[in-house]
Amino acid sequence: AYLWHQPLFVFARHRSIDEPSKLLLSGLAVVALVLAYLSWRYVETPFRNRQRFKGKQVFLYGALCSAVFVAFGLVGQFTNGFDSRLSKDERELMAYSNFDYNSIYRRRLCFLDKDQSHSDFSNECRSSSMEQSTLIWGDSHAAALSVGLRKELSNVIQYTASDCPPIRDAVIVRRPHCKDINDYVMREIQRIKPRQIFLLANWTLYNKRQELTENMKMTIDYVHSVSPSTQVTIIGAVPQWYPSLPARMLKKRMAIENGQYVRSSVLNDLGEVDKALDAVSKENDVEFFSSINALCVNDKCQSAITYNGTLTLTAWDYGHLTEGGSVLLAKKLLGE
């Protein structure tokens, strides 16, 4: 319908904190049809009348309109999206879209990308002393937590890989080296016999609920068989906000404030996965730690903290922890 639906739906999603309701989208579809009729009746039909507009006139008007839109777009590009319209608080939140996590997560060293295999783990991922070591194993969410663990503990070993859950025999099509990486980590567990292992991933992405719990049981059984004295802790999903924490705060016109809590619309889904993992933990005599219980109250989760004298968000996107957020969760995990 003359593509009117596109701007209507886009701006509705842009203005809504959560996904717009089906009722609203249906209403906008009707509005698109009305606008389409008006466009046909008062724009297309008159311009097709050769008595009113000649071909050269149509081309000239079209070129002028295009020039105006191009100029507007260029000005927006060179002014960084007209950022002068933003307040200081809004610019602080917008800055998280360029958050640099590479060094704190140790990307491509201890947090491997899609193209890397276990042989790419750097020596700095391993602790200088294997005695009483702590191993953090998982995907990008585990890499985020490793920052805080390294701040709070000595002898921390980090084996993390993008989109690769800490599950035995996990086959992730989009991550062809995942099984190879996990096989290596399991050999390392047998060799090192760490004092404790923390397992963390964005659990909602992997497998069906039943498959997740069955595969987790196999993983725990393996660890117990090769290193009986190792304490295993499954860490539940970290708080998540969609489309991202900074975007949600921008839409609600919130500034970053110490100890702040922001509503999460996906806590129920995360809580259901937590229940399944908690049940597996009890059945297999390992620990379960709920990040949600540690950081959330009702439907809101802690979104900001003062870290090293600076106000910072706990997550820089939908759920990956900042350094301050990682230290906060690590302290909760370790009972500090």
Side-chain angles (χ1 to χ4, degrees):
Y2 285 89
L3 299 182
W4 275 112
H5 76 284
Q6 181 68 6
L8 290 173
F9 285 11
V10 165
F11 281 106
R13 289 190 170 97
H14 180 70
R15 292 294 299 172
S16 300
I17 294 177
D18 298 313
E19 178 69 13
S21 68
K22 291 181 180 179
L23 180 62
L24 174 61
L25 294 179
S26 298
L28 290 176
V30 174
V31 172
L33 292 173
V34 173
L35 290 173
Y37 169 78
L38 295 174
S39 298
W40 169 79
R41 178 71 177 80
Y42 296 106
V43 179
E44 179 179 342
T45 300
F47 270 91
R48 285 183 179 275
N49 187 341
R50 295 297 180 90
Q51 302 298 321
R52 297 181 62 182
F53 296 99
K54 298 187 182 299
K56 288 184 179 179
Q57 287 179 295
V58 173
F59 177 80
L60 178 62
Y61 294 151
L64 288 174
C65 289
S66 296
V68 169
F69 281 117
V70 169
F72 185 78
L74 288 173
V75 173
Q77 175 69 23
F78 289 115
T79 60
N80 195 27
F82 302 99
D83 63 356
S84 60
R85 77 189 193 283
L86 301 173
S87 67
K88 177 177 177 293
D89 293 332
E90 289 172 324
R91 284 196 292 271
E92 287 178 354
L93 288 168
M94 292 281 286
Y96 281 91
S97 61
N98 297 315
F99 186 84
D100 184 8
Y101 64 89
N102 292 298
S103 60
I104 59 174
Y105 288 16
R106 302 198 289 193
R107 185 182 175 200
R108 299 193 68 80
L109 298 174
C110 310
F111 170 44
L112 303 184
D113 282 338
K114 178 181 178 179
D115 61 318
Q116 294 181 288
S117 69
H118 80 269
S119 60
D120 293 302
F121 276 124
S122 168
N123 286 331
E124 70 180 76
C125 308
R126 306 168 183 91
S127 170
S128 57
S129 171
M130 296 305 176
E131 294 183 4
Q132 298 296 301
S133 59
T134 295
L135 170 63
I136 175 73
W137 176 18
D139 63 5
S140 57
H141 287 225
L145 179 59
S146 73
V147 183
L149 290 177
R150 296 196 311 269
K151 295 285 185 181
E152 298 299 310
L153 296 173
S154 57
N155 301 342
V156 173
I157 303 166
Q158 179 188 346
Y159 288 140
T160 56
S162 172
D163 271 351
C164 186
I167 298 174
R168 186 179 188 183
D169 295 333
V171 177
I172 309 297
V173 175
R174 62 185 179 274
R175 289 294 182 264
H177 295 295
C178 184
K179 186 177 184 303
D180 161 76
I181 291 168
N182 283 342
D183 286 347
Y184 171 75
V185 176
M186 289 188 292
R187 292 195 299 271
E188 285 287 273
I189 292 171
Q190 183 175 11
R191 181 179 70 86
I192 299 168
K193 293 180 173 50
R195 181 177 66 85
Q196 60 183 348
I197 297 176
F198 293 125
L199 307 177
L200 173 58
N202 187 7
W203 303 114
T204 57
L205 297 182
Y206 308 115
N207 300 321
K208 297 177 182 178
R209 196 71 45 79
Q210 184 175 355
E211 292 176 356
L212 173 62
T213 56
E214 289 175 354
N215 292 338
M216 182 60 71
K217 183 181 185 306
M218 288 195 304
T219 305
I220 295 169
D221 287 344
Y222 174 82
V223 174
H224 283 165
S225 68
V226 300
S227 183
S229 63
T230 296
Q231 177 184 326
V232 178
T233 301
I234 301 174
I235 301 174
V238 298
Q240 297 180 18
W241 298 266
Y242 285 93
S244 75
L245 175 58
R248 196 171 185 89
M249 292 178 65
L250 276 168
K251 288 181 178 181
K252 295 188 71 173
R253 301 188 181 280
M254 299 174 68
I256 304 174
E257 297 176 0
N258 187 41
Q260 187 175 49
Y261 283 71
V262 173
R263 180 180 177 273
S264 167
S265 60
V266 295
L267 277 190
N268 286 337
D269 294 335
L270 299 178
E272 289 301 312
V273 179
D274 267 15
K275 289 178 183 177
L277 292 173
D278 189 21
V280 172
S281 302
K282 288 182 171 66
E283 292 170 5
N284 293 274
D285 196 28
V286 300
E287 297 292 323
F288 176 76
F289 175 81
S290 172
S291 303
I292 292 175
N293 288 345
L295 297 177
C296 305
V297 177
N298 298 325
D299 63 346
K300 295 182 178 181
C301 301
Q302 187 166 349
S303 60
I305 186 177
T306 298
Y307 177 68
N308 287 342
T310 302
L311 273 173
T312 180
L313 295 183
T314 53
W316 55 272
D317 62 355
Y318 74 92
H320 290 101
L321 299 171
T322 60
E323 184 171 336
S326 181
V327 170
L328 172 66
L329 184 58
K331 286 179 180 291
K332 302 271 189 182
L333 174 62
L334 300 173
E336 297 180 14

